[in-house]
Amino acid sequence: MGGLAEEAVARAHREEWGRIVATLIRVTGDWTLAEDSAQDAFEQALARWGTDGVPSNPGAWLTTVAKNRAIDRLRRSATERAKLQEVMVMESQDDDELDDRLRLIFTCCHPALTLEARVALTLRTVAGLTTGEIARAFLVPEVTMAQRIVRAKAKIRNAGIPYRVPPGHLLGERLPGVLAVLYVLFTEGYSASSGDRLVREPLAEEAIRVTRLLALLMPDEPEVGGLLALMVLQHARRAGRTDAAGDPVSIEEQDRSAWDHEAIAEGVAILRAALRRHRVDTYQLQAVIAAEHATAPSWAQTDFRGIVRAYDDLARLDPSPVIAFNRAIAWGIAEGPEVGLHRLDLIADRLDGYYLLPAARADFLRRLGRRREAAEQYELALGLAPSEPETRFLERRLAEVTARE
Amino acid sequence: MQYLLFINTSPDIDKTQPAEKEPMDIEDWVARMDARGVRKFGDRLQAAEDATTVRVRKGELLVTDGPFVEGKDYIAGIDIIECENLDEAIEIARLHPMATHGNVEIRPFWVWED
């Protein structure tokens, strides 16, 4: 059994899982049957492709096997005759397949499900991650995650959540819920703040893949383009974000040659296309900020005034404390550390217990040469730091400001 | 699908603010949903203080005054609707004036396997 076949199965899993499951759910209305049949098909591929060779059209091969497995399962159940008819006439490469995946995404992200359930279900059903993988990524026991997914599927069935893309007049209010799920998926993968990094990086890639699909299906929605641009631009910098030991490197000190400049160019192009529609939103503004950072030749040559303007707009649309915090930082970088400290003081009461607040104060104080005060703030931040690598980063800074001249 | 709508008052409504504009008044809602054929039955209920709660524990009857959960909000009415799916039920519920002044809980009926 060659590694090539395994690689082909893995690739097919990434590319075909969501489509196969989506089509089987549409035809049978049975989520578990659809997933189990798709799972069987991939297991068969793993057993057969190594000896028989990889089929010329892996997607069609897998769809046929999954369909046959669904028929077998339905035959065993006498009450499922009507569904059986539907599956028998199902085309192996349906014209409807893009719509099927979009149906699946919108159903998994229905507002009648909790955000947690939506995220878990999207990863399981659209992206094809196992329950164990999702549980590890979100640091919950596998049993808990399994229950969460079972509960969500039960609610879809019992409450009559329709398997469809909402009609035009509902699309506007339903799209943000879908984008929120994709954004959570991405940020969970992007921030290595907690959990297993090996599991988390693929989360970001899955989020990008599903968002790309959504952008392809809804090309006229600048919100989708904005989110996709934001993800692509952030992800393009991943190689520079950590050092060899896996510790975070501040963007100021990152090796910009390690960034993926092709991806940056793509992200900027997607963002430009979205901005041309003149319907600005929080994702597009965050992408504008990410693009400023990603395209600047160096930290010193970054257009911080432009970044401050984008944050001002963003704070008007999104009054959350984290946005206010990032805006204060941007002000401090553009106008000087004293302005930054003052801006942080103005919002400090909204950021109680947030370890980045003392860390940011410490950084501004360090730049002002107020080393003793900086050390105090680093100590405070260390008391709140969530993960090992961040703790090491703060300890290094603390050692710098407490070292003898 | 059949759903029961619990039409509830909400304690979280800020009475000091001018009341939000409802999409339609209750007579219009009833007339519209009846005309659409989605509303099977519905009515307003007496206040929660007129409720009586019955329990049998160890064979003994316990009758108490008031609703089964004490709270500021209470069920002010019910409607039984029949429609395509949850999205349609949400569309129906959002038009009810009490969705603006209180809240509406949508409960699907149990489906008996035959």
Side-chain angles (χ1 to χ4, degrees), chain A residues 110 158-160 162 164 170 173, chain B residues 1 3 85-87 91 94 108:
Chain A
H110 196 279
N158 296 341
R164 65 168 191 188
L170 291 179
E173 59 187 44
Chain B
M1 295 273 309
Y3 299 91
N85 53 43
L86 184 63
D87 281 356
E91 286 278 291
R94 82 193 293 173

Side-chain angles (χ1 to χ4, degrees), chain A residues 266-277:
Chain A
E266 191 210 352
V268 169
I270 297 167
L271 175 60
R272 287 217 176 103
L275 290 172
R276 270 199 293 275
R277 296 189 178 267

Side-chain angles (χ1 to χ4, degrees), chain A residues 180-219:
Chain A
V181 169
L182 296 172
Y183 186 69
V184 169
L185 284 190
F186 181 74
T187 50
E188 282 297 323
Y190 174 61
S191 76
S193 64
S194 55
D196 185 342
R197 264 186 63 219
L198 286 175
V199 183
R200 289 178 159 251
E201 229 179 63
L203 280 192
E205 274 154 29
E206 287 304 335
I208 292 176
R209 215 164 51 80
V210 177
T211 310
R212 265 189 209 286
L213 183 65
L214 200 59
L216 191 71
L217 298 164
M218 306 175 83

Side-chain angles (χ1 to χ4, degrees), chain A residues 95-311:
Chain A
D95 289 344
D96 246 7
E97 65 191 31
L98 276 185
D99 288 347
D100 272 341
R101 266 185 288 186
L102 203 51
R103 269 185 205 114
L104 186 57
I105 294 171
F106 272 97
T107 307
C108 288
C109 298
H110 196 279
L113 302 169
T114 64
L115 184 60
E116 276 184 337
R118 282 185 248 164
V119 168
L121 201 57
T122 302
L123 280 173
R124 173 75 198 109
T125 314
V126 181
L129 269 62
T130 67
T131 307
E133 286 169 336
I134 304 166
R136 280 196 294 286
F138 289 93
L139 294 175
V140 302
E142 189 166 339
V143 188
T144 310
M145 187 52 78
Q147 280 166 351
R148 193 179 291 171
I149 293 172
V150 167
R151 186 80 275 289
K153 285 184 198 161
K155 170 130 193 209
I156 289 172
R157 187 179 61 244
N158 296 341
I161 291 177
Y163 188 60
R164 65 168 191 188
V165 176
H169 69 286
L170 291 179
L171 209 50
E173 59 187 44
R174 291 283 304 278
L175 185 60
V178 174
L179 299 181
V181 169
L182 296 172
Y183 186 69
V184 169
L185 284 190
F186 181 74
T187 50
E188 282 297 323
Y190 174 61
S191 76
S193 64
S194 55
D196 185 342
R197 264 186 63 219
L198 286 175
V199 183
R200 289 178 159 251
E201 229 179 63
L203 280 192
E205 274 154 29
E206 287 304 335
I208 292 176
R209 215 164 51 80
V210 177
T211 310
R212 265 189 209 286
L213 183 65
L214 200 59
L216 191 71
L217 298 164
M218 306 175 83
D220 298 329
E221 293 297 331
E223 262 190 288
V224 182
L227 179 59
L228 180 59
L230 173 62
M231 290 176 173
V232 168
L233 288 164
Q234 299 278 49
H235 203 57
R237 298 205 319 251
R238 71 191 172 284
R241 274 203 314 265
T242 49
D243 62 17
D247 288 1
V249 180
S250 73
I251 184 165
E252 187 175 356
E253 291 162 350
Q254 282 177 26
D255 172 10
R256 287 169 193 244
S257 68
W259 295 354
D260 181 345
H261 292 278
E262 216 171 289
I264 291 171
E266 191 210 352
V268 169
I270 297 167
L271 175 60
R272 287 217 176 103
L275 290 172
R276 270 199 293 275
R277 296 189 178 267
H278 301 289
R279 274 163 48 203
V280 80
D281 71 307
T282 56
Y283 297 124
Q284 290 171 72
L285 286 169
Q286 289 184 74
V288 166
I289 294 161
E292 291 288 2
H293 280 300
T295 55
S298 69
W299 174 255
Q301 287 165 276
T302 307
D303 176 13
F304 287 106
R305 295 266 157 82
I307 289 176
V308 163
R309 278 195 302 278
Y311 269 118

Side-chain angles (χ1 to χ4, degrees), chain A residues 67-77 84:
Chain A
K67 173 183 156 181
N68 290 337
R69 294 297 295 140
I71 291 171
D72 288 347
R73 283 164 188 274
L74 288 171
R75 276 219 177 97
R76 274 184 244 135
S77 154
L84 187 58

